[in-house]
Structure formats: structure tokens, C-alpha cells
Amino acid sequence: MDFQAIHDRLVAIDAPGLVRAELPREPNKKEKDPGRSGESYVVVDSARMVDFLLACRDDERLDMKLLVDLSAADPAVDDENFWVLIQLLSIEKKHRLSIKAFLPKDNARMPTATAVHRGAQWHERECAEMYGITFEGHPDPRNILLPDDWVGHPMRKDYEFPTEYHGISCE
Amino acid sequence: MVEAQKYKPSMQLSDESRVLPSGEREFMLDVSTADLEVNMGPQHPATHGVMRVLLRTDGELVTGAQPHLGYLHRCAEKIGENVEWLQYLPYTDRYDYLSAMNNNLGYSLAVEGLMTGLEIPRRATLIRTICAELNRVASHLIAYGTYGLDIGAFTPFFYAFREREWIQALFEKICGARLTYSYIRIGGVFNDTPPGWLQEVGHFCDVFEDKWREYYDLLVENHIFVKRTADIGVISAEMALDFGLTGPMLRGSGVDFDLRRDMPYMAYGEISDAGAFDIPLGRGEKGTLGDCWDRFYVRVAEMMESIKIVRWCLDAIEPGPVLGDVPKVIKVPAGEGYVGIENPRGELGHYVASSGGKVALRCRVRGPSFTNLAVLEDLMPGTLLADSVAIIGSTDIVVGETDR
Amino acid sequence: MEQRPFLDFLETLGPPAWVPEWALWLTAAGLGVGLITTIISLIALFSIWLERKVSGHIQCRYGPMYAGGWHGWAQTIADGVKLMMKEDMIPTGADKPLFVIAPAIVLSSIFGAMVALPLSYGFYFAQMDLGIFMILALGSTTTIGVVMAGWASNSKWSLYGAMREAAQVVAYEIPLGLALLVPLMALGTFSLLDASHAQAGFFGMNWAIFQNPAVLPAFVIFWVAALAETKRAPFDLPEAESELVAGFLTEYSGIRWSFFFLEEYAAMFLMSVVAAVFFFGGFESPLTWAAREAFGSNTHIVVQLVCFGTIVIKGFIGVFLMMWLRWTLPRIRIDQVMTMGYKYLTPLALACVLVAAIWEAILSLF
């Protein structure tokens, strides 16, 4: 299925939390729209993400059993939201779906997808330490790549690089 | 709403973990004993780099395992947000340093996906395919050799390195580097092949086909090796999907999926339509479907398929330009996209987002080793110490990629 | 008759009358110890060089090529010097006395076992009627040293290695001893010299494996068990470098580490010679037979030299076989090691003993 068909199907099964589909568009100089290249994705309400993933997984025509990636992005220092980016893949039907959810920076919490896809577990741990996003109900919310005592969330755009670590200067 | 939590903490003394792989129950004396916690790593021959697995053992029996990562973390994603598009390319070499060509390719394809109107010359596409597949062979040769080492057979390692050395020499001829190539660029490849290079690749394919048979007989069908790996570390197809495993790990569990055939990129669709290559699958030939042997077999069999792809490309390649119309300083239009390619270890995904400038907004790397490693926590409890080494080896991780 | 080769040798020199007898005894003992240490060290040094060359050629490389000139013959010596120069390191948490004693125990027990080894019909350190018992007993004493080393290192990996060694040796002592009983029955002696005598005849080819149908299977069992005893692949679990870092050797370095290494190669040679003596004719070969025919007696110097050459060559064939196996086979798992030892080799060895006994009983009827 191509993106349009997937989106139609999502609408048809009334996938929980589906907000809108975002398609690439040509730049429009009149409206000062820089345009958007790349691939299409759907925007999903972060609070209902788990239900959405479950719907995608269990619907027989979508059949997205594989969570390829779960990550986040911090678009800009002055942006209010983090993006949570999820890539789903269907082995049988051979299609992909990109999902984006917006998560307010001042309250970066969303339910964990571990119960739907266990593969999300480590990805969520990485997101949590790198962006400070709390995945509620995560079974093992420790740091994974960073040391346990690391201060701050390095992948945030406003992250200030530490000048020393355990007495070791790193300037 | 959601089914009950499936997660089971791995570091617990569960009753099941005291059942030996053979099905016998561990005999518990009425003596108070404590399990021994032992750090496998960060400096340990079996962890293939600097990874640490905290093992809890009862004698030789592993009752719990907890991987600890991050010893090789080099902030690739953060660097990606701070350097120009082309400048980031050498960093991609460094995450999975055994298949740097594939990393270059994944990143280039992801960026090219955003650059509308950029056309990749056909010769460049075919050279990319040849390089990526040769690199896959080199990477699987390492997997073959080091897995032999893990099981205790030293000699196959040297044989594998002999052929890998040749591939590296080929790469050295084409780009001057032996490990970190940065050869596949945004828009094509860095330069055309030197004279006689394609013929030498053809010669390599001929020689390798003979050698491959030797390798197969030496290790894959070796009785002790089969005894050590069959029925160990069984990943069912369902579990593989649940954990998001990709690549040989997924195919070892019998799931017939390969991005090169099923979601083709570059010239793979054409090659696949021509029927030039097959996708080897684990069949549970020596034990249970999805055991260590199956995963290992898939890797070894894939080497031959890669050689077939290389041969197809050698037949199809024609002179022409090798680099598309790319400016010196690349500006990528605003947008975002995810491109996943079939790396030797699984799906290497690059999510790149641009705001229209010279620098990426987000450069996410989805390393297959990272995801594939998550399965360790579940596989290792209940095995013997030597099996846990076999399991780590069969995931074929590169720590540079788990940590990035 | 009491065998005192070194004392007899000193007495033939005609020492002055004022030299007390205990001094002669001491000199003889010192001579013997010095000689045996030298010979065994030389054999071990050569074995180590051989291992590196053999593994090199199996793996499509040359092995050492520079030290000393011709094919790196001095590589082991250079390594030995380097190891001696290394800092003497004892881990902080280690049990120091045990840590220091362990390599000494390992080395001395294997050298002790060598005492029972005849090198020719007239050249031996001690003629023992129960020589093979001595060899087996002292050979397995090395395990105590290994367990000691593993425990004293205060490292978990070392402990694993030591425990594996203990379990493995206990499991394989039984088939080893039982398998040796078969040629002992066929030859009718426990003494290594007499065993060699018993295989003389038929152009030097009256070897034990041709004397009794159970000896060949017994040899296979013996060889497998000997591999396990000497910690050689595929039974190198006590040091299993890909699993246990280096097993009981993890915390050892420098000269102490080299002692363990020396022991390993000495044990390999010892086991090979035992196999040669009890299964493959000892000093007997067509060449020995021809030399004896030409020079008349076993005591002639040329015959002695031929005997010595024969046994050393047979021993190194065994050592080479062990190396060949090591660089070819993967390592087996601890439960498979145990299963093989207890469930298969022991009953098979018992069956061999039974067959051999019946065969000998039938032979004795005629």
C-alpha cells in the first residue's frame, strides 16, 4: 500500500489519535511557504499513541508488526514541542508508515509503547535520556547510553556542554 | 486498553531459569547459595568491542543478563546536527565500521530523498551496489570468523580475513581507504573506478565462490559447531517481530523479508526482478527454527547471494558519469524523511530533517545492532556461560553501531 | 635389582675415597634433576615453536620468521627472556602464597611425572615397576595447582576456569586409566621399559595395537581423555579465551604464566610418549630392529640413539596431532564435555577392558 491507501485505511478504521496526514508540497513563493520535501507522514496525538500503534499492529490490512524506530527530535530552541518519530513496517504487506507526535517541552510525557512493541524499550530509554521525555509505565527507565549520573539531556538544542565530568576537565 | 505488560525483568531468579537447555531441572541442594554476578566486559573477547553484559550465574548456568552500553558513544547524532551535510559523511563510516560503504549509502540515500530533482547517474548506482555488496561480504566474513572464534575455532578467522583483505585492497584501490571509505557521496560516488578494477572484482568473485565452499564445510557443517549452536538462543518469528529485529536476525527466524527485494532501493528492484539473487532463510535445519545456527547460516549463505548481485552489476555497468549535479555546499530543502536500507546487520535507518539550511535539523541513525542487541536480555537467562557467548556472537553486533 | 643409573654412572668415574656417600647421592640427584629439567624444557621450547609454526601454516601464514634467523627458531627463547623481564605482578586481592605456589606445583608435578619416562633402553632416570601409575598420579596433580591458581587469583573468571578444570579432570581420569588398562593387559606390565621390551619382535612392528583387538579403540578413548587431561582443544575449557578471558591464567603474567605454558607443552609430550610406549611400540620400529640386528644388543650406543630418536619422533607426532586438532576444531561445551566423559567414554573404556581381558584369557589357553 502506498501512503494514501494507508491513510485511507487509518481513517476507515478510525485509528485512535490520528490527527492529520502531512504530504510533501511544492514551495510557494506567494504565500512564503518554503515547501516540504521528503516523505509523507501522519501526525498522531501523543497521549493516544499506544492505541494507535496497537490499531496499526492488529489491523489485518495494515499489519504493521515491526516497530523499526522510535526517536525524538528537538526542532529548535524556541519551539514549544518535541517531535516523537516512529517508523512502522509491515513485513507481509511491505509498506512503511512514518508517525510524528508533538510533545510539549514543558510536559514531555507520553505512555510507553513497550507493551505493543517490545523493541521500543531500548529506543525509549535512549529518547528519555537524550531528550528528557518521560515514557510513563516504562519497565526499565534507566539510562542506556549515558552514565547513570549524567546531568542534562544532550540532544536538546539548548543543551549546555559540561566543562568537566568527575573532575576531568573537558574544555 | 492494552494487553497486560509483557515485560519480564531479566535480573530475577525465576524458577524457569533453573531448567537446563537439555530440559533437565537444576538440582537444588538445601544449602543457602547466592548467584555470582560477573561482568562480561567491557574488555572481554566475546563482546566484540566494548560492551558490558552483567551476568548473574549459578555455576555455569546464566540466570540473568543485563547489557550495558555506551562505552563507545561518540555523539554521532549530535554531530549530525552541527556539521554540514557532506561533512557528516565521514562520521557515518564510524558507526558500523565493518560496513562503512553501507552506512555511506544509507545516509546519502536519505539526504538525496530530500533533494528533489537530483538525479543519480546509472553508473554511480551500479558502483554503489557493487561496493555495498562487496562490503556486505567483507562484513559477513568478519561475522563468520569471529563467530568461529567465539565457539573456539581459530582457523576460520584467518581464512575469512584473507578474503576480506582482498576486498579491502579493492576498496583501497577505489577510494584510498581500507575501513572508513566515505566513497559513496550525496549525489553519486566520489570518483570513477580505476582501470581494471571491475575486472578484478570479477576475478575476486570467481575465487571467492571456491573459497566459500571451503568455509562452509570447515565451520558451518562442523559437527562440534552444530552441537554448540543448534537449539541455542532460539528466537521465534513472533519474538523477532516483537523486538523489531531486522536483517539476518529476522531471516534466521524464518521470516522472509529483505529490504533489497521487498522494498527495493537503487537498482535492487531491477536485480531482484531479474531473479539474480535469493534470500536465504533459516529453516531450522539443524535444530529449532531461529537458533544460533540458523542465523549464522543465513549470514554465510548471504555472502554467495551478494556475489551474484555483484556479478549482475558487473554485466550491466556501462561508462558514464558517476556524480550527479551536486553543489559544493549542499543546501537541502526543508523537509524530512526516513530511509532504511539493508545493512549487513539489518535495517540501517537514517531519519534526516532539514529546515532548508546547510545543517541538518535532526539526523537520527537507527542502527540495527542496537535493536538486535535488545533481545539478549531475554535469550541469555537459562543458558550456559558458553552458550551466552554463542548468543552474543550470533547477534553479530558492532558496538560502534549500538552506541553510535 | 635396584636401578640407580646416575649413581652407577658416578661410581664408574671412580670418585676419591674421602667423598662421603651422601655427597654422591646428592650429586647424582642434582645431575638427574638438571638433566631432566633441561631435556623437558628443551622439548617444551621446541613444542611451543612448533605450535606457532603449525598453527601459522594451518592458517595460511608463516608464524615466527625473524628471531634467530632460520624460520624464527629462537622465537620461544626471545619470548622466554621477555617473560622473565616482565614485572612480577600479583593482584591486590590475591592470596599471595597460593598464587606463588600454584605454578610451582604445576611445573614440579609434571617434571616429577617425567622421571618415570624412559628415553631409551639404557637411558632413563628411574626404572619403576609401576611407572605408569607414577605418571598418571603426578600428571593429575597439576590439577591441584590449577585449582589453586584459580582460587588464589581472586578473579571470577579464574575461578570458573579452575572449577572447569577440576570437573573435567575428574571426569576424564576414569576413561584415561581404563583405556590404559587395555594395553597393560596386552603387554603384561606396568613398567614403561618392559612395555617397550614386550613390543619387540616382528621387525620392530609387534606393537600393542596389533596384539589385541581392543587396543585400537582403547587408544582412541585414551587420546580423547588425554586431550581433556592436558587442557587441549577441543577440551580447552579451563582457559577458553573467548568465554573466560583466559580462565585460570587470567591474572597471571610474566614468568609465572610461562610456567603454566611450559607445563601444558610438557604434559602434551608426556601424554604422547605414554601413548607411543603403550600403544605404538615404544622404542620399537623397523629402524630400531635393523639397528639391533646390526649392532647386536640393546645397550650399544647406536641402538640407544635410535631408540631415543624413535621415542622423541613418536612423541612429537602425538604433539603434532594435538596441535592439528586444536587448530581445526571448535571448543565443546562443559555439559557436552561431562556427558562425553561419563556417559560415553567410561562405558566404552570398560567394554574395551572386557574385550581385552577375554582376548588375553583365550590367548592364554593356547
Side-chain angles (χ1 to χ4, degrees):
Chain A
M1 280 198 274
D2 61 354
F3 178 77
Q4 197 55 51
I6 294 172
H7 184 250
D8 292 346
R9 179 66 188 166
L10 284 171
V11 173
I13 61 168
D14 194 19
L18 179 68
V19 178
R20 63 170 192 278
E22 195 85 37
L23 300 168
R25 55 184 191 275
E26 292 295 314
N28 191 333
K29 287 227 171 97
K30 269 187 202 157
E31 292 170 22
K32 290 192 176 162
D33 179 11
R36 203 187 78 79
S37 61
E39 61 177 16
S40 316
Y41 59 86
V42 290
V43 178
V44 174
D45 179 12
S46 64
R48 304 190 63 190
M49 182 63 88
V50 178
D51 294 332
F52 183 82
L53 293 176
L54 197 64
C56 287
R57 190 188 76 181
D58 292 342
D59 180 67
E60 58 188 22
R61 281 175 64 188
L62 292 171
D63 190 45
M64 302 209 182
K65 291 221 166 52
L66 201 77
L67 181 130
V68 177
D69 190 19
L70 188 151
S71 66
D74 182 5
V77 178
D78 50 4
D79 201 292
E80 285 177 357
N81 292 319
F82 287 129
W83 304 343
V84 174
L85 309 154
I86 296 179
Q87 315 292 335
L88 293 180
L89 178 66
S90 168
I91 299 284
E92 292 292 325
K93 306 283 190 291
K94 310 191 195 319
H95 54 230
R96 282 183 190 282
L97 178 63
S98 285
I99 301 169
K100 189 191 259 188
F102 293 99
L103 211 55
K105 279 185 180 174
D106 48 9
N107 183 24
R109 308 176 78 79
M110 66 179 282
T112 173
T114 323
V116 188
H117 297 282
R118 280 179 70 186
Q121 190 194 334
W122 280 23
H123 289 305
E124 283 179 357
R125 279 168 72 180
E126 193 188 341
C127 273
E129 68 186 357
M130 293 296 178
Y131 288 95
I133 297 170
T134 311
F135 289 92
E136 285 162 345
H138 193 282
D140 190 14
R142 291 174 300 128
N143 279 1
I144 185 161
L145 293 176
L146 297 177
D148 289 340
D149 57 352
W150 194 263
V151 181
H153 302 290
M155 287 299 284
R156 287 188 177 192
K157 283 272 165 30
D158 58 357
Y159 178 67
E160 280 177 26
F161 287 89
T163 51
E164 62 131 43
Y165 180 69
H166 286 293
I168 306 162
S169 170
C170 43
E171 273 181 296
Chain B
M1 110 197 182
V2 184
E3 61 210 78
Q5 294 265 316
K6 279 195 274 176
Y7 179 79
K8 177 184 76 181
S10 61
M11 293 297 280
Q12 73 172 13
L13 278 173
S14 65
D15 209 32
E16 298 86 3
S17 69
R18 298 205 180 265
V19 179
L20 289 170
S22 57
E24 293 169 48
R25 278 186 77 80
E26 180 78 339
F27 181 48
M28 289 297 285
L29 291 172
D30 201 12
V31 181
S32 93
T33 54
D35 283 6
L36 187 67
E37 273 186 15
V38 54
N39 270 318
M40 189 186 259
Q43 310 291 338
H44 188 283
T47 53
H48 295 223
V50 279
M51 181 187 67
R52 178 161 70 100
V53 184
L54 184 60
L55 290 178
R56 176 172 281 179
T57 56
D58 174 16
E60 287 272 337
L61 193 70
V62 176
T63 55
Q66 202 172 60
H68 286 249
L69 312 178
Y71 291 91
L72 208 56
H73 186 55
R74 288 150 305 169
C75 322
E77 293 178 9
K78 188 77 177 174
I79 291 171
E81 294 176 11
N82 287 287
V83 296
E84 287 178 17
W85 293 100
L86 196 53
Q87 282 177 339
Y88 182 65
L89 196 75
Y91 291 99
T92 64
D93 287 330
R94 268 99 183 149
Y95 21 87
D96 179 358
Y97 38 77
L98 296 182
S99 58
M101 284 285 184
N102 287 284
N103 300 347
N104 295 161
L105 179 63
Y107 178 70
S108 302
L109 285 176
V111 178
E112 283 157 11
L114 299 188
M115 296 169 75
T116 39
L118 175 65
E119 202 167 303
I120 315 297
R122 173 142 177 98
R123 185 175 172 86
T125 306
L126 290 179
I127 293 177
R128 280 175 170 195
T129 316
I130 292 173
C131 288
E133 292 305 319
L134 281 180
N135 204 196
R136 188 188 311 278
V137 173
S139 172
H140 281 339
L141 278 172
I142 293 264
Y144 167 87
T146 51
Y147 199 44
L149 274 187
D150 285 341
I151 302 299
F154 294 85
T155 304
F157 183 71
F158 287 88
Y159 291 173
F161 260 63
R162 181 183 55 195
E163 258 53 70
R164 178 171 181 265
E165 200 66 20
W166 193 349
I167 297 178
Q168 283 182 328
L170 284 170
F171 285 153
E172 197 177 358
K173 281 182 186 166
I174 204 172
C175 66
R178 288 167 57 80
L179 198 64
T180 50
Y181 312 108
S182 301
Y183 174 66
I184 297 173
R185 299 285 166 92
I186 299 164
V189 296
F190 170 57
N191 57 2
D192 206 346
T193 55
W197 192 80
L198 293 170
Q199 285 81 345
E200 197 185 339
V201 172
H203 180 44
F204 169 79
C205 293
D206 295 340
V207 174
F208 186 79
E209 278 177 0
D210 289 346
K211 298 288 178 195
W212 183 86
R213 193 66 231 172
E214 246 173 59
Y215 297 159
Y216 192 83
D217 292 340
L218 184 62
L219 197 54
V220 184
E221 294 285 347
N222 183 305
H223 185 72
I224 296 179
F225 181 81
V226 171
K227 283 277 172 202
R228 281 291 309 275
T229 50
D231 290 325
I232 302 297
V234 177
I235 304 176
S236 65
E238 194 188 22
M239 184 177 172
L241 293 176
D242 201 12
F243 270 99
L245 305 186
T246 44
M249 296 279 283
L250 185 66
R251 292 193 283 278
S253 299
V255 181
D256 191 5
F257 185 78
D258 189 314
L259 286 170
R260 288 174 296 171
R261 183 195 62 195
D262 297 329
M263 304 181 79
Y265 49 97
M266 296 201 309
Y268 282 119
E270 221 177 303
I271 303 171
S272 167
D273 290 341
F277 70 102
D278 303 319
I279 309 296
L281 290 181
R283 297 189 301 272
E285 211 175 300
K286 305 281 176 188
T288 321
L289 178 66
D291 56 12
C292 290
W293 190 87
D294 275 343
R295 291 194 282 279
F296 182 71
Y297 165 78
V298 165
R299 289 196 185 94
V300 174
E302 258 181 25
M303 286 197 257
M304 276 317 266
E305 304 305 324
S306 293
I307 291 293
K308 287 185 197 164
I309 298 176
V310 172
R311 281 188 190 283
W312 191 92
C313 294
L314 288 178
D315 289 342
I317 198 160
E318 277 162 11
V322 292
L323 195 58
D325 186 19
V326 183
K328 273 240 162 64
V329 176
I330 294 170
K331 276 194 175 179
V332 174
E336 58 208 88
Y338 175 91
V339 171
I341 66 154
E342 189 75 24
N343 173 292
R345 283 164 189 79
E347 178 174 338
L348 173 74
H350 275 90
Y351 173 90
V352 286
S354 167
S355 54
K358 287 188 280 188
V359 177
L361 186 76
R362 174 79 168 106
C363 177
R364 159 75 180 166
V365 186
R366 187 263 188 208
S369 297
F370 182 76
T371 326
N372 292 354
L373 195 64
V375 84
L376 274 193
E377 276 179 301
D378 264 51
L379 285 190
M380 278 165 80
T383 61
L384 294 173
L385 201 61
D387 294 335
S388 64
V389 171
I391 291 170
I392 296 178
S394 78
T395 56
D396 186 27
I397 48 155
V398 168
V399 176
E401 195 175 61
T402 60
D403 296 354
R404 297 182 298 282
Chain C
M1 195 198 98
E2 198 187 354
Q3 301 282 333
R4 315 178 298 178
F6 289 95
L7 208 56
D8 294 345
F9 170 70
L10 284 179
E11 274 164 7
T12 56
L13 291 178
W18 50 267
V19 178
E21 204 185 344
W22 59 263
L24 276 182
W25 273 94
L26 271 185
T27 319
L31 208 61
V33 169
L35 200 62
I36 200 167
T37 317
T38 315
I39 290 177
I40 302 309
S41 302
L42 282 179
I43 285 173
L45 284 183
F46 177 70
S47 304
I48 292 171
W49 175 83
L50 187 71
E51 170 108 287
R52 302 181 70 164
K53 294 306 272 190
V54 167
S55 68
H57 284 275
I58 287 179
Q59 294 165 351
C60 313
R61 44 189 189 92
Y62 289 116
M65 283 303 279
Y66 296 102
W70 184 80
H71 283 266
W73 64 270
Q75 184 64 48
T76 334
I77 299 167
D79 280 348
V81 172
K82 183 204 79 174
L83 286 169
M84 266 183 253
M85 296 292 165
K86 268 185 143 178
E87 189 188 346
D88 181 29
M89 291 226 282
I90 298 178
T92 324
D95 187 331
K96 267 190 194 173
L98 283 187
F99 191 83
V100 175
I101 294 171
I105 287 184
V106 165
L107 205 59
S108 54
S109 57
I110 206 71
F111 278 9
M114 290 285 183
V115 169
L117 211 63
L119 292 171
S120 156
Y121 279 123
F123 178 34
Y124 42 81
F125 303 102
Q127 155 70 319
M128 295 184 187
D129 290 341
L130 292 174
I132 187 63
F133 272 160
M134 165 97 168
I135 288 177
L136 286 186
L138 280 177
S140 48
T141 313
T142 55
T143 314
I144 295 174
V146 169
V147 173
M148 223 179 222
W151 178 258
S153 297
N154 193 25
S155 155
K156 289 166 183 172
W157 297 117
S158 299
L159 191 62
Y160 275 123
M163 291 300 135
R164 281 179 173 193
E165 162 84 1
Q168 187 172 312
V169 168
V170 168
Y172 281 81
E173 278 288 298
I174 308 160
L176 187 80
L178 286 174
L180 267 175
L181 270 183
V182 176
L184 289 178
M185 265 192 274
L187 303 172
T189 176
F190 283 102
S191 152
L192 281 83
L193 265 179
D194 292 348
S196 204
H197 275 298
Q199 296 174 78
F202 196 69
F203 307 105
M205 289 301 287
N206 188 23
W207 296 357
I209 48 163
F210 305 127
Q211 292 185 11
N212 188 316
V215 177
L216 190 61
F219 167 70
V220 176
I221 295 168
F222 170 82
W223 194 249
V224 173
L227 285 174
E229 279 277 303
T230 49
K231 308 185 281 290
R232 292 293 292 185
F235 298 97
D236 59 342
L237 286 101
E239 38 181 304
E241 56 279 354
S242 56
E243 294 157 24
L244 302 183
V245 188
F248 64 93
L249 290 169
T250 308
E251 304 294 338
Y252 278 91
S253 66
I255 192 71
R256 291 206 185 84
W257 178 81
S258 73
F259 283 166
F260 283 107
F261 222 60
L262 214 59
E263 179 269 336
E264 185 178 333
Y265 287 91
M268 276 164 71
F269 185 74
L270 182 74
M271 281 299 169
S272 303
V273 171
V274 168
V277 167
F278 283 101
F279 296 93
F280 296 102
F283 310 127
E284 296 300 328
S285 69
L287 201 62
T288 325
W289 173 80
R292 198 187 296 117
E293 288 294 301
F295 296 100
S297 79
N298 266 337
T299 45
H300 193 279
I301 183 72
V302 176
V303 183
Q304 298 273 0
L305 280 176
V306 170
C307 287
F308 179 72
T310 311
I311 199 74
V312 168
I313 286 172
K314 282 180 181 176
F316 274 111
I317 289 173
V319 169
F320 173 76
L321 199 60
M322 285 186 173
M323 290 171 182
W324 190 3
L325 285 172
R326 170 169 182 183
W327 298 108
T328 310
L329 293 178
R331 187 184 303 116
I332 62 179
R333 206 167 50 210
I334 187 74
D335 61 328
Q336 292 163 345
V337 170
M338 292 292 126
T339 311
M340 199 155 119
Y342 284 122
K343 284 191 187 165
Y344 299 110
L345 289 189
T346 309
L348 277 177
L350 279 169
C352 282
V353 170
L354 196 66
V355 171
I358 292 169
W359 181 267
E360 291 300 321
I362 292 170
L363 277 189
S364 65
L365 292 178
F366 300 104

